[in-house]
Amino acid sequence: CNKNRQITKLHFPNVGLDGSLPSEIGFLPHLQEMIFTNNYLAGTVPLAFGNLKDLKNVDLSYNRLVGKIPLEFGELRMMQSFYLHS
């Protein structure tokens, strides 16, 4: 959280998460980092993630994600790194 108690980072690497990525994450307007590497997440990257205008770093690598990256990610001007490999 930042000094205003707004969530800016979600770091859950290597913790055995399974299921799908919740689209509700897309409603965290101050989120800057989302690290979910090396879990068991499946499904697609939610379209709602395109709402995260402050997002800088994303690591969704080593999960079971499928499908295309939403086009809205191309409009995230703050993005510095995006990892989605297995």
Side-chain angles (χ1 to χ4, degrees):
C1 292
N2 62 17
K3 63 183 175 183
N4 296 321
R5 296 183 173 254
Q6 298 162 324
I7 296 172
T8 59
K9 297 179 183 182
L10 293 176
H11 285 214
F12 295 100
N14 307 305
V15 293
L17 293 176
D18 63 5
S20 59
L21 287 165
S23 61
E24 290 82 3
I25 292 173
F27 301 105
L28 297 171
H30 303 285
L31 192 65
Q32 296 176 5
E33 292 186 6
M34 181 169 41
I35 311 298
F36 291 111
T37 188
N38 201 26
N39 283 290
Y40 302 98
L41 297 169
T44 60
V45 176
L47 292 175
F49 285 14
N51 297 330
L52 300 171
K53 303 301 181 195
D54 290 345
L55 198 59
K56 294 179 183 180
N57 301 302
V58 176
D59 191 344
L60 302 173
S61 58
Y62 300 105
N63 281 287
R64 299 175 181 163
L65 298 170
V66 296
K68 296 180 179 183
I69 298 168
L71 293 175
E72 291 80 2
F73 266 63
E75 297 178 24
L76 299 179
R77 303 293 178 215
M78 300 296 289
M79 185 72 70
Q80 297 173 0
S81 65
F82 181 81
Y83 297 102
L84 184 63
H85 54 77
S86 58

